[in-house]
Amino acid sequence: MFLFYKILLKIQSVYEQTLNKANVEMCKYKGMKVGKNLNTPDKVYFGTEPYLIEIGDNVNIAAGVRFVNHGGTTTMLRRIPGYEDARIFGRIKIGNNCTIAINSVITEHVEIGDNCILGANSVLSQSMPPNTVFAGNPAQFICIIEDYGDIILKNNPVYPRELEKDRKALDEFIKKNQPYKFKKAKRIR
């Protein structure tokens, strides 16, 4: 039965990867500009105007990320006399070597500089300077990329790096050796 489940999950994975690739290719056909090595392993929503999106080289975009390059709120506004011509459209630009974490939303008129990280579940409505980390709703500056890198290195999991060539061996090592270390709760008032 295990083999059946493994095959079934592999079929689902290949199917979803094919859909994701088709989604990106259709958006490119509609005018979205994409650099080299775009990684979108899961469903990303590029909005109804993908031609307003520009993505640089070596960009990772996680599952559930939404690009909002127009404002739907104007539909209601246009029914009010004097606002019939109200519209919101704007470009979104992502620089090189960026990571957009799971379920984030990027709104119109936003540019993300090179070497940036947008944290999970963030709503970005302002531009990010190069080499920064933003997170939250609304997304705010957290730190510069070097400070984030130092934090990651400080808490870096220790294992023989040659195991990265053998995922099964790496998983087994991590399962046996990862310490039971958890973040402390923040003070409750």
Side-chain angles (χ1 to χ4, degrees):
M1 198 58 155
F2 174 77
L3 182 59
F4 173 73
Y5 290 145
K6 191 173 181 178
I7 292 168
L8 195 60
L9 289 172
K10 183 64 176 176
I11 291 169
Q12 179 187 16
S13 174
V14 169
Y15 172 73
E16 288 175 358
Q17 287 172 0
T18 303
L19 284 179
N20 294 335
K21 183 169 176 49
N23 179 39
V24 170
E25 291 304 316
M26 285 304 298
C27 289
K28 285 166 58 176
Y29 176 78
K30 292 178 180 179
M32 183 170 75
K33 293 178 183 148
V34 177
K36 297 178 289 194
N37 302 320
L38 173 63
N39 181 28
T40 57
D42 291 302
K43 179 70 173 162
V44 174
Y45 303 90
F46 291 107
T48 53
E49 296 84 23
Y51 49 83
L52 295 175
I53 299 170
E54 185 176 333
I55 300 171
D57 298 335
N58 304 310
V59 173
N60 295 305
I61 304 175
V65 171
R66 290 186 176 273
F67 289 75
V68 181
N69 40 31
H70 78 277
T73 57
T74 59
T75 303
M76 180 282 306
L77 193 59
R78 288 192 299 266
R79 292 188 210 114
I80 300 172
Y83 297 98
E84 295 86 0
D85 292 327
R87 303 286 189 281
I88 298 172
F89 286 99
R91 295 188 182 277
I92 297 171
K93 183 178 180 183
I94 299 176
N96 299 316
N97 197 39
C98 292
T99 295
I100 313 301
I102 193 166
N103 294 327
S104 292
V105 176
I106 304 168
T107 63
E108 71 279 340
H109 304 295
V110 167
E111 179 177 5
I112 298 175
D114 293 344
N115 306 311
C116 287
I117 297 173
L118 180 61
N121 300 307
S122 294
V123 177
L124 185 66
S125 58
Q126 62 177 310
S127 291
M128 292 175 61
N131 305 304
T132 58
V133 177
F134 276 53
N137 182 2
Q140 300 292 318
F141 173 79
I142 302 297
C143 62
I144 61 171
I145 202 73
E146 289 83 359
D147 289 345
Y148 182 73
D150 290 343
I151 291 167
I152 296 301
L153 286 176
K154 181 180 172 189
N155 297 300
N156 203 19
V158 178
Y159 59 83
R161 297 298 188 227
E162 62 271 5
L163 288 178
E164 291 177 348
K165 296 174 186 163
D166 181 356
R167 185 60 199 220
K168 200 173 199 178
L170 176 60
D171 288 344
E172 204 54 43
F173 184 90
I174 291 172
K175 189 181 348 177
K176 288 179 184 172
N177 297 293
Q178 182 66 28
Y180 284 87
K181 185 170 101 177
F182 302 99
K183 296 176 184 175
K184 293 181 181 179
K186 294 187 180 183
R187 183 178 165 169
I188 300 173
R189 296 176 196 225

